[in-house]
Amino acid sequence: MQTAPLHAKPVPAASPLLAGSNPAQALLLTENAALTNGPPLLFQRLTAKEREEVLREGQKRVVYRGKMLFSQGTPHDGIFLIESGRIRVFYIAPSGREITLAYWNAGNFVGGPELFGQGQHVWSGVAATNSVVVHLTGKTLRRLIAQVPAFAIGLIEGLTFKGKCYSALAQMLGTRSVTERLAHLLIHLADTYGVKEEGAIAIGSAFTHADLAHMVGATRQWVTISLKRLQEQGVLKAEKAKIVVYDLEALHVMRGDR
């Protein structure tokens, strides 16, 4: 899998990251409620001058929906700060089977766990929506960490959060059935993206059956069949662009909460 070419240009002074106020939400499969709100903002400890200093050393890139940001097995060269959009990070097994690790939004960074441009990427990142990122090379990161201690702390906090996320995912995959994982994901999506709609909850952010399958570790066909069964039972309605949940309690029972 090859990384698609990206468009690079200098970071403008008006970058939204300068405000340090972007919500650092993430979408991931976890039972730990403390992780569902996302990690601390990477820039929250930095002064305005320090934020400007960090961004001045990076290159802004626009990566369009469906294009690769970095690919598993390719040489590592730093990290990407997400200014806008959503990046899906995933792992592909030798068999070709794919598992989504998380979706990361504005205020987060992707491209770890390596920071300094050594070795290879151990997973891949793709733009789930049209996105803008700021690339910081490994050499640049070494210099910035020495110059801006608060930035170093932000990176450590981010890596710590990601480690907890991926540990929680491994626990889910190892201890929950695929049916329970699907119910858990639907409840999480309803909580995160749900909009109340005449006694139901409409999941407004469109995720395909393949997207759901990659998150719960199942096949697209299994997810399609499971959603059809739940629709026949009146639990939800799976439309092309959204899912409308009519019986959230049934999903809690399906997850094993009741």
Side-chain angles (χ1 to χ4, degrees), residues 35-144:
L35 299 179
T36 57
N37 290 329
L41 283 163
L42 180 59
F43 281 5
Q44 71 178 6
R45 297 179 182 274
L46 277 64
T47 65
K49 183 178 179 181
E50 289 172 334
R51 294 169 193 155
E52 291 176 354
E53 181 180 354
V54 170
L55 292 177
R56 188 165 52 241
E57 296 295 325
Q59 276 195 316
K60 177 176 286 193
R61 300 183 175 185
V62 178
V63 55
Y64 296 102
R65 182 172 179 256
K67 297 298 183 181
M68 299 298 298
L69 183 58
F70 55 91
S71 297
Q72 181 177 323
T74 60
H76 186 279
D77 187 21
I79 63 172
F80 302 88
L81 314 180
I82 306 174
E83 181 175 296
S84 64
R86 180 188 299 154
I87 304 297
R88 181 173 75 93
V89 175
F90 63 97
Y91 173 79
I92 300 178
S95 64
R97 190 160 186 177
E98 185 177 309
I99 181 74
T100 293
L101 303 178
Y103 286 84
W104 300 104
N105 296 336
N108 293 303
F109 70 91
V110 293
E114 175 60 62
L115 295 179
F116 302 124
Q118 300 172 340
Q120 298 179 328
H121 285 288
V122 294
W123 42 68
S124 299
V126 64
T129 64
N130 292 342
S131 303
V132 177
V133 302
V134 177
H135 181 218
L136 294 171
T137 67
K139 183 178 180 180
T140 298
L141 277 173
R142 282 188 182 275
R143 184 171 68 254
L144 287 172

Side-chain angles (χ1 to χ4, degrees), residues 22-41:
N22 293 44
Q25 296 180 338
L27 176 61
L28 50 119
L29 201 64
T30 176
E31 291 183 294
N32 186 343
L35 299 179
T36 57
N37 290 329
L41 283 163

